[in-house]
């Protein structure tokens, strides 16, 4: 079986704190997929929250600030899952059924890390919501780009103004990072990449991990 045939229908996810370099990593994955002779028209890219018309509107709500009305933590969590259900049902599953490989900028772990670790919502409650909304749907491979929150936020700041979540205190992101680390440790189909290194080293590390994963398929 060719590499492209093995990759067809798979769902790869990049996770990490802001400024970890997820968008940059996705360009490396695109390069790696081209090396595997994966046709560009057989690759679907997604981002969360978002990716469908309704999910993008939910993303806008999550990012906006309304004077005099805070977005409740549980409302934020439910919006993340509402957007995810739209994306999975309308984009990801149909793409997989059409033999596409799907490359996701964030997925379920972001809710466990940000709303669980960061906001402090019970992780079991989040797992229950995940089960109700997505059942056994999961990523086939997760690359967690690990970065010190101070460094990640300083990179994000370099791009312009910070949004509602990015303005939170550093210990919020420390707690978020800890959940990402625990999830990566506990999951066989996930790897951690040191995202504080130079882009060239990060690219090499991503290629190596993808090669190993492909060899395991
Ligand atoms: N969120 C949530 O709370 N719960 C959920 O379930 C989900 C999401 C799904 C989405 O924001 C927000 O929603 C996010 C989590 C929350 N919260 N915040 N805050 P977003 O999509 O707008 O942003 P993001 O996902 O955090 O991505 P980002 O900020 O765009 O970061 P990035 O994609 O990881 O980084 P980048 O754009 O590739 O790189 C950032 C800069 O660093 C850029 O200038 C690069 O050129 C530079 N860079 C990249 N790599 C390197 C290296 N290796 N060295 C030096 N500089 C580098």
């Amino acid at each position: 079986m060719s590499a492209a045939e093995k990759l067809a229908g798979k769902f790869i996810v990049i996770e990490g704190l802001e400024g970890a370099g997820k968008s940059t990593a996705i360009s490396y994955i695109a390069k790696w997929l081209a090396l595997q002779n994966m046709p560009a028209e057989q690759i679907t890219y997604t981002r969360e929250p978002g990716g469908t018309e309704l999910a993008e509107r939910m993303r806008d709500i999550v990012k906006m600030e309304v004077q005099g009305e805070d977005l409740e933590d549980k409302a934020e969590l439910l919006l993340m899952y509402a957007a995810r259900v739209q994306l999975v049902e309308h984009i990801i599953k149909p793409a997989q059924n059409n033999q596409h490989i799907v490359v996701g900028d964030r997925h379920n772990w972001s809710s466990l890390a940000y709303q669980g670790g960061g906001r402090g919502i019970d992780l079991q409650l989040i797992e229950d919501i995940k089960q109700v909304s997505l059942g056994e749907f999961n990523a086939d491979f997760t690359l967690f780009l690990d970065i010190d929150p101070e460094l990640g936020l300083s990179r994000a700041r370099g791009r312009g103004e910070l949004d509602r979540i990015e303005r939170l205190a550093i210990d919020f992101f420390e707690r978020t990072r800890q959940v990402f680390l625990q999830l990566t440790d506990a999951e066989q189909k996930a790897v951690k990449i040191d995202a504080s290194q130079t882009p060239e080293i990060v690219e090499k590390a991503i290629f190596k991990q993808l090669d190993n994963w492909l060899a395991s398929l």
Side-chain angles (χ1 to χ4, degrees):
M1 205 190 258
S2 70
E5 283 168 336
K6 283 186 184 174
L7 294 167
K10 296 283 189 286
F11 179 33
I12 304 181
V13 174
I14 313 294
E15 294 277 13
L17 296 180
E18 20 289 302
K22 293 179 300 301
S23 316
T24 313
I26 286 167
S27 70
Y28 302 150
I29 295 176
K31 207 163 144 187
W32 181 83
L33 288 171
L35 291 171
Q36 312 310 318
N37 296 318
M38 191 78 197
E41 59 277 11
Q42 222 181 304
I43 308 172
T44 294
Y45 296 95
T46 63
R47 72 160 181 187
E48 294 196 30
T52 75
E53 200 174 331
L54 288 176
E56 287 292 326
R57 292 198 200 182
M58 294 176 205
R59 177 187 180 90
D60 290 342
I61 296 175
V62 162
K63 293 215 161 212
M64 74 172 44
E65 277 176 273
V66 175
Q67 261 211 327
E69 182 181 346
D70 290 339
L71 181 63
E72 293 297 318
D73 292 349
K74 284 184 183 159
E76 180 182 74
L77 174 69
L78 292 170
L79 279 167
M80 296 296 178
Y81 277 96
R84 187 163 298 134
V85 170
Q86 290 303 114
L87 180 69
V88 168
E89 298 300 336
H90 289 266
I91 303 286
I92 301 181
K93 284 183 180 173
Q96 290 180 303
N97 290 338
N98 280 330
Q99 300 305 302
H100 281 215
I101 181 162
V102 181
V103 181
D105 183 342
R106 299 191 180 282
H107 187 59
N108 193 50
W109 283 14
S110 281
S111 296
L112 289 158
Y114 283 83
Q115 281 65 52
R119 301 280 189 215
I121 299 177
D122 180 38
L123 290 176
Q124 189 54 54
L125 174 72
I126 303 179
E127 291 286 3
D128 293 346
I129 292 172
K130 188 264 172 186
Q131 274 303 321
V132 169
S133 47
L134 298 171
E136 293 309 315
F137 181 86
N138 288 305
D140 294 297
F141 190 51
T142 303
L143 291 152
F144 166 54
L145 298 184
D146 184 38
I147 196 157
D148 177 82
E150 297 268 15
L151 178 58
L153 286 172
S154 75
R155 285 184 189 169
R157 262 184 227 114
R159 274 177 334 198
E161 227 182 277
L162 299 181
D163 69 23
R164 190 179 64 86
I165 297 180
E166 287 168 342
R167 280 198 292 273
L168 291 163
I170 207 78
D171 61 323
F172 172 93
F173 295 101
E174 286 290 359
R175 294 194 301 273
T176 302
R177 181 191 193 185
Q178 289 314 312
V179 173
F180 274 133
L181 287 168
Q182 286 161 21
L183 290 166
T184 310
D185 274 353
E187 174 58 66
Q188 275 197 331
K189 293 180 297 179
V191 291
K192 180 180 86 168
I193 290 186
D194 179 356
S196 66
Q197 306 176 97
T198 63
E200 294 71 27
I201 296 178
V202 171
E203 180 179 23
K204 262 197 198 140
I206 289 176
F207 274 35
K208 187 173 164 222
Q209 294 297 349
L210 289 171
D211 285 340
N212 290 346
W213 173 61
L214 177 61
S216 75
L217 294 177

